[in-house]
Amino acid sequence: MGYCCKKLQQTKTVTLTFKRSELLYDVENYSFVEGDIMETENEHARHQVFDIGQSGNVNRVTRVLNLTHAECVEMLYPYTKEEISDEQEALDDILVAPEEYHIVLTLPEDFSLSTVKLLKHLIHEYLICKVLADWMSITNPSSKANWEEKIMSIRAKIQTSLMSRKGKIKRKLKPF
């Protein structure tokens, strides 16, 4: 009757913060470029692509950012687990436009800082691309596939960076 005494793994907490103003700035810039290079004489269609950050339209952007932020937290699940409190949770669908989006990661002590920095950049791009894919699906459907391809590529990079850094590599001393 034996049991293994496992050493408790030490953890560190890192918070990734994504400023809404920075996300909107990038979304509006990419959207402007999309509208500018559109091969159409229809100025109204071009105008719709440009207006992603305008009043009314920004509500759609906010909902997509909120959804994508939640998706990112779930994608990073092993490191972002949150306990449900004993008090009853009440959730609604009222539009909330936070100034910042936070992702709190609880990481093993030996987790690489370079991986955390890479995740920060990848998640920022992921948020932007999800918004643009959604907006282009409405205003410029021919461009939507390009943004979805970028989303899939970034998602794969996020998942790969997490899997490749899970633990230390242990090699046997003898080949046989």
Side-chain angles (χ1 to χ4, degrees):
M1 179 157 94
Y3 62 91
C4 179
C5 260
K6 239 186 176 178
K7 183 178 145 185
L8 290 176
Q9 189 170 13
Q10 299 295 320
T11 61
K12 291 186 178 183
T13 301
V14 175
T15 301
L16 301 177
T17 302
F18 303 94
K19 295 191 178 292
R20 177 182 168 76
S21 59
E22 292 294 316
L23 295 167
L24 291 176
Y25 178 80
D26 287 348
V27 164
E28 288 178 290
N29 279 340
Y30 285 131
S31 183
F32 180 83
V33 172
E34 280 284 344
D36 194 44
I37 64 171
M38 278 176 69
E39 295 178 6
T40 182
E41 297 299 318
N42 185 346
E43 287 304 313
H44 181 67
R46 189 183 310 271
H47 166 74
Q48 292 300 323
V49 173
F50 286 150
D51 284 350
I52 192 169
Q54 298 304 308
S55 180
N57 296 343
V58 78
N59 291 346
R60 179 65 195 158
V61 171
T62 299
R63 290 216 185 261
V64 174
L65 279 174
N66 292 351
L67 175 62
T68 306
H69 171 257
E71 183 183 328
C72 287
V73 170
E74 190 64 22
M75 191 182 344
L76 300 169
Y77 171 73
Y79 306 109
T80 59
K81 290 186 240 182
E82 291 182 48
E83 296 288 325
I84 297 176
S85 67
D86 291 337
E87 299 171 20
Q88 184 178 0
E89 290 284 332
L91 304 172
D92 57 43
D93 65 346
I94 295 172
L95 180 64
V96 176
E99 291 298 314
E100 298 177 335
Y101 293 91
H102 299 280
I103 298 177
V104 179
L105 301 164
T106 304
L107 302 168
E109 194 172 67
D110 61 348
F111 201 88
S112 171
L113 178 60
S114 63
T115 302
V116 175
K117 289 177 180 179
L118 175 63
L119 282 172
K120 175 190 70 165
H121 294 294
L122 290 171
I123 292 169
H124 179 92
E125 284 301 309
Y126 189 78
L127 289 162
I128 291 166
C129 289
K130 287 287 274 194
V131 169
L132 288 165
D134 179 74
W135 188 251
M136 293 306 151
S137 73
I138 298 166
T139 62
N140 187 17
S142 63
S143 178
K144 179 185 174 198
N146 179 43
W147 292 104
E148 286 182 339
E149 187 177 310
K150 289 179 190 231
I151 290 166
M152 298 309 291
S153 172
I154 294 168
R155 185 180 183 96
K157 287 176 185 176
I158 290 170
Q159 291 171 334
T160 300
S161 69
L162 290 175
M163 294 305 144
S164 65
R165 307 292 185 182
K166 258 199 164 169
K168 294 180 181 176
I169 297 173
K170 294 182 182 179
R171 297 178 191 228
K172 293 180 182 180
L173 296 176
K174 298 180 183 177
F176 304 103

